[in-house]
Amino acid sequence: MSFLDAELRNTNPESRYFGICYLALIVFFQAAGWGFAAYRALALVAMLLLVGTAALVSWRPNLAVARRIGSILPGCMLAASLAPIVDAWRSAAAGHRVRLLDSLVVACVIITVFLLTCVPRLRDRSAFRIAAVPVLLASLLIPLANLVSGLAVYKLGLVAATTAEAARVMWSGLNPYDVQIDSYGASIVHDMAYGGYKYLPGMSIVYGPLTLLTGARSIILTNAILYIAIAASVFCLSRRLAGKATYFPILLFLSSPIIAVQALAEGATDAAPILSVLLAFLQWGRSSFLAGILIGLSLSMKPVPALFAATLLLPSKKAEWWRYVMGIVVGALPALPYLAWSPRNFIDNVFIFNMIRPPDPTTWRFDASVWAGHVAIVVSGLTWAALCLWCLAARAGLMARLYAFFVIMVGVLLAAPSDHDNYALWWTPVLVILLATLGAQPRPPVTA
């Protein structure tokens, strides 16, 4: 089992501890769906605490609090297996067979990684090591089962359905921002002027070819390609940060049921813009122009998360700023014709709608006072500005910028009027990268 030996050498125990805790939290986050806003917000806050604690234990191991936390990590790791086991029990009772499979696989992964990390005598036995590999490879069943489920039973979400319709409208020569595509969006703000497409044209350009050929369900096939590309990006970013190849981030990515459900079963189109953002992070420090193009392409599909990534990826060298900005302009070109065609409807549906939409039951703001929501927005905005300024002033490296991106995105979702499952695609790939590269020596800040 030389592969398993190499993988254990290339990942720190802290990465495995915190990675397993992440899997428990992501299962809890998915279970806290529509109508369980307080639990969902609690899970997001727990994710922030997880990252902060992981950074403390990894980078300041000699602190007394870090040693204390490190001593209880094995117990936390084992307790984490209870989350997918409980979810499996609930899924079996509700008849959700794919979700039952997802939870059982996650539980098996957690227990196996725990034994490999914390029980050396068992780890050294060849029979156990032989059995551990197929158990870990079983994480592949999560995306495969959701892909089959999504293709066999139509379950496309509103995002996918409106994207498919927008592609047909654009192909027919009409403007998707002038056509009533999103009746649900119009209904929640009580104004039919907001019934147009809610994303940017680049989204329909990406998903349009297969959609026009074989129908809306082919969005799932496009997402299957994008899912593989995101996994590859996670691997490449982790290798760049750690300076060595490790497949643990891929294991965490594959074992995150919410990603597979959203991309491969419900057709969430957030897979395309987040892939472009991850590739932009990968190009940061190498090519400012290409990083800008990738951010621009993401912006041409959806404003978030690209808008926040754009400010964090501003090159450290001022001489490179114009190349970066020009790249963003080039990447965003697909959106410009539709903006010029119908500027009022374009701005109303893409931007104003998200500012005036009321809170829904996926966010704590649904039951909170209006002033509390305004305070959360201000705090989130100040956090964004502070982290961006810090990255520039400190000439932060790639790892620090990924940490900042994760914190900003979670802060934005905690302040937003909604926190739908598809938004998890914005931050989960970055989180698994950060947890899988704990203890890696950050590269010196580059002069991108």
Side-chain angles (χ1 to χ4, degrees):
M1 293 292 102
S2 57
F3 168 79
L4 188 58
D5 290 336
E7 190 60 23
L8 290 172
R9 286 195 303 269
N10 288 338
T11 58
N12 293 323
E14 291 83 5
S15 287
R16 297 195 288 274
Y17 292 145
F18 286 105
I20 292 309
C21 292
Y22 153 77
L23 289 181
L25 285 175
I26 201 66
V27 168
F28 176 74
F29 179 83
Q30 183 182 25
W34 194 276
F36 295 92
Y39 297 104
R40 173 156 292 208
L42 180 63
L44 283 177
V45 172
M47 293 288 185
L48 285 175
L49 293 174
L50 180 72
V51 167
T53 305
L56 175 67
V57 172
S58 178
W59 304 115
R60 296 291 185 269
N62 294 326
L63 294 178
V65 64
R67 291 197 298 270
R68 176 60 180 165
I69 293 171
S71 67
I72 65 173
L73 279 176
C76 294
M77 193 179 185
L78 184 59
S81 63
L82 294 177
I85 290 173
V86 170
D87 194 59
W89 175 76
R90 293 175 65 249
S91 300
H96 298 312
R97 285 171 291 197
V98 174
R99 186 160 172 173
L100 170 62
L101 174 65
D102 291 349
S103 298
L104 289 176
V105 170
V106 173
C108 290
V109 168
I110 289 176
I111 294 171
T112 302
V113 174
F114 169 79
L115 294 175
L116 285 170
T117 305
C118 301
V119 189
R121 291 183 180 179
L122 186 59
R123 181 180 63 218
D124 293 337
R125 293 182 181 178
S126 59
F128 175 74
R129 292 150 63 81
I130 292 172
V133 173
V135 171
L136 296 178
L137 289 176
S139 59
L140 289 167
L141 292 175
I142 294 176
L144 289 175
N146 281 282
L147 177 61
V148 172
S149 174
L151 292 174
V153 180
Y154 185 92
K155 56 182 74 174
L156 292 182
L158 180 64
V159 175
T162 56
T163 296
E165 181 61 24
R168 287 190 287 268
V169 168
M170 291 168 62
W171 180 253
S172 67
L174 300 176
N175 189 327
Y177 305 98
D178 295 337
V179 178
Q180 291 295 311
I181 289 176
D182 184 12
S183 57
Y184 173 77
S187 68
I188 64 176
V189 296
H190 309 291
D191 189 340
M192 295 307 293
Y194 296 93
Y197 188 45
K198 295 300 184 294
Y199 306 104
L200 282 87
M203 190 79 85
S204 291
I205 292 173
V206 170
Y207 288 95
L210 284 180
T211 298
L212 294 170
L213 287 172
T214 60
R217 197 176 300 189
S218 63
I219 283 180
I220 291 174
L221 296 177
T222 303
N223 269 356
I225 299 171
L226 295 172
Y227 182 92
I228 295 171
I230 292 172
S233 300
V234 167
F235 174 79
C236 292
L237 275 166
S238 300
R239 183 174 59 182
R240 180 177 172 186
L241 292 174
K244 54 189 175 183
T246 172
Y247 295 93
F248 189 60
I250 301 297
L251 177 66
L252 294 179
F253 180 79
L254 294 175
S255 301
S256 302
I258 195 169
I259 301 177
V261 171
Q262 288 301 304
L264 303 177
E266 299 187 10
T269 57
D270 299 81
I274 192 57
L275 171 62
S276 193
V277 167
L278 291 173
L279 292 175
F281 272 105
L282 194 58
Q283 286 302 316
W284 185 84
R286 295 173 174 172
S287 170
S288 298
F289 183 67
L290 183 53
I293 287 178
L294 290 164
I295 288 294
L297 287 173
S298 187
L299 283 170
S300 76
M301 292 182 267
K302 194 170 186 177
V304 180
L307 175 63
F308 301 98
T311 57
L312 287 172
L313 290 175
L314 195 65
S316 298
K317 279 187 175 180
K318 290 185 179 180
E320 293 288 324
W321 285 10
W322 71 271
R323 292 187 179 89
Y324 179 65
V325 173
M326 286 302 300
I328 292 176
V329 172
V330 171
L333 285 177
L336 298 184
Y338 290 91
L339 173 61
W341 185 351
S342 183
R344 176 64 183 274
N345 287 340
F346 183 97
I347 294 172
D348 280 351
N349 283 281
V350 175
F351 298 104
I352 303 300
F353 170 80
N354 290 300
M355 297 179 185
I356 65 173
R357 65 186 298 176
D360 64 34
T362 62
T363 172
W364 63 272
R365 288 182 54 188
F366 184 74
D367 296 313
S369 301
V370 174
W371 66 266
H374 291 162
V375 170
I377 292 172
V378 170
V379 171
S380 175
L382 290 175
T383 302
W384 174 26
L387 287 173
C388 290
L389 290 174
W390 177 81
C391 285
L392 277 177
R395 300 173 67 85
L398 178 60
M399 182 176 290
R401 291 171 193 254
L402 285 168
Y403 271 104
F405 177 76
F406 171 76
V407 172
I408 290 170
M409 292 316 307
V410 173
V412 166
L413 291 175
L414 285 171
S418 61
D419 184 14
H420 299 161
D421 282 357
N422 56 296
Y423 301 164
L425 272 67
W426 303 349
W427 52 269
T428 44
V430 174
L431 180 53
V432 301
I433 291 169
L434 295 176
L435 294 178
T437 55
L438 290 176
Q441 291 299 319
R443 304 293 180 85
V446 295
T447 55

